[in-house]
Amino acid sequence: MDKCKLMREISAVEFAAWELHLYLDTHPCDEKALEMQQKYVERAKELRKEYAECYGPLNYKEGSGLKWVKNPWPWEYMKECDC
Amino acid sequence: MFQYEKKLQFPVNIKNPNPKYAQIIISQFGGPDGELAASMRYLSQRYSMPYAELKGLLTDIGTEELSHLEMVGAIVYQLTRNLTIEEIKKSGFDKYFVDHTTGVYPVAASGAPFTAAYLQSKGDVITDLHEDLAAEQKARTTYDNILRLVDDPDVREPIKFLRQREIVHYQRFGEGLQLATDRLDSKNFYAFNPSFDKHCNKKVNNKRM
């Protein structure tokens, strides 16, 4: 998958996982939500693995050094990334 | 502990710099109802939360607010890139520029620097959750005002996302308040200072006071 598309996919899947995570703070016994949350977390793991291999690490566990420090950093304008 | 994720929670890519917009939006970085105040409020209040669900909720929302702070910083940063001195003078950005150049500094749109006086950590679950509910609505109103002042869709999209998050956090805090009030002693009808008094009474009973 191309870099921008893959990043958008990761953002969407992780957003869903995070939103369910917050919901589960106040509904900790909702089994259906818990199952959905796990599904999104698993999908995010696969996508992140692909991203780290092709485009570089998103956190310190996925890589260090040149791969980590390389530009762009998240707050920078990316012309090619029309997302 | 906190660890960095090298991505924004929602993308920020602003084609056209606009120092006028930057001056308005900086208020959600370091202003009275901004993301820095929000994050510090929840991450401070969580220590005195008496229930597991609320410790989780304050930790998680306080963490998400840090991601929002990063997004607002990115918006301000991109709106102030490649400016000419003429643009800076004409837009009124000169008053910020003289102190910070185009560095991102936690300040309100009025120019007042960030202060911890914007937030409270009262050590009382009912008091703190009411402050949190109000804070989410105040931030939502500020984002509504930003949307009234800003036309550029590149800026509006991430601002709309941040506005929606205020609404979701308000909902979760409301559920948190319900969880807390459900657990109050039935005699504590007016819901005052439940966590502190509970602790004190225990000490009196054990004759440690």
Side-chain angles (χ1 to χ4, degrees), chain A residues 23-35:
Chain A
Y23 168 83
L24 281 156
D25 281 343
T26 52
H27 304 78
C29 301
D30 188 330
E31 295 292 335
K32 202 179 152 200
L34 204 59
E35 202 181 300

Side-chain angles (χ1 to χ4, degrees), chain B residues 190-209:
Chain B
Y190 295 104
F192 54 87
N193 218 4
S195 49
F196 185 78
D197 290 339
K198 201 176 153 194
H199 183 63
C200 281
N201 290 339
K202 209 176 353 180
K203 277 192 176 171
V204 171
N205 294 339
N206 293 342
K207 296 184 174 145
R208 275 161 51 197
M209 270 182 82

Side-chain angles (χ1 to χ4, degrees), chain B residues 44-57:
Chain B
S44 301
Q45 289 178 354
R46 66 187 174 139
Y47 297 99
S48 59
M49 284 291 147
Y51 307 121
E53 293 93 329
L54 298 176
K55 293 173 200 173
L57 191 64

Side-chain angles (χ1 to χ4, degrees), chain B residues 4-195:
Chain B
Y4 190 61
E5 287 279 319
K6 198 177 171 181
K7 61 187 173 65
L8 298 181
Q9 195 189 10
F10 185 93
V12 174
N13 281 297
I14 300 166
K15 282 185 283 298
N16 303 312
N18 185 323
K20 189 94 197 158
Y21 289 170
Q23 274 181 107
I24 295 163
I25 292 166
I26 193 99
S27 235
Q28 280 305 88
F29 196 76
D33 305 311
E35 302 292 352
L36 180 58
S39 183
M40 295 305 106
R41 178 181 299 112
Y42 308 144
L43 293 179
S44 301
Q45 289 178 354
R46 66 187 174 139
Y47 297 99
S48 59
M49 284 291 147
Y51 307 121
E53 293 93 329
L54 298 176
K55 293 173 200 173
L57 191 64
L58 274 279
T59 300
D60 289 337
I61 297 182
T63 302
E64 185 175 342
E65 305 295 10
L66 279 180
S67 310
H68 297 170
L69 181 72
E70 183 185 33
M71 279 179 64
V72 175
I75 294 170
V76 171
Y77 170 70
Q78 292 183 24
L79 284 170
T80 55
R81 69 189 201 278
N82 306 325
L83 297 178
T84 66
I85 284 297
E86 273 318 301
E87 286 169 325
I88 287 166
K89 281 190 198 167
K90 215 169 63 187
S91 64
F93 189 68
D94 50 356
K95 289 189 284 295
Y96 181 96
F97 181 86
V98 69
D99 288 328
H100 312 292
T101 329
T102 56
V104 179
Y105 180 75
V107 67
S110 66
F114 178 77
T115 163
Y118 291 152
L119 57 105
Q120 178 58 285
S121 178
K122 204 71 174 174
D124 181 309
V125 56
I126 303 295
T127 311
D128 281 347
L129 285 173
H130 276 94
E131 158 148 339
D132 303 345
L133 286 158
E136 294 295 333
Q137 289 300 338
K138 289 189 277 184
R140 196 263 308 151
T141 306
T142 311
Y143 285 123
D144 278 332
N145 290 340
I146 291 169
L147 290 168
R148 289 178 178 114
L149 294 164
V150 169
D151 292 328
D152 183 352
D154 286 354
V155 183
R156 288 178 65 88
E157 285 310 305
I159 294 291
K160 276 154 69 182
F161 172 84
L162 292 168
R163 179 187 173 277
Q164 286 164 358
R165 299 311 294 155
E166 308 301 339
I167 294 166
V168 171
H169 292 171
Y170 179 79
Q171 173 67 26
R172 297 281 95 89
F173 280 133
E175 292 159 359
L177 180 61
Q178 188 64 53
L179 282 168
T181 47
D182 285 351
R183 287 173 202 179
L184 288 173
D185 192 303
S186 60
K187 289 175 190 162
N188 193 357
F189 185 73
Y190 295 104
F192 54 87
N193 218 4
S195 49

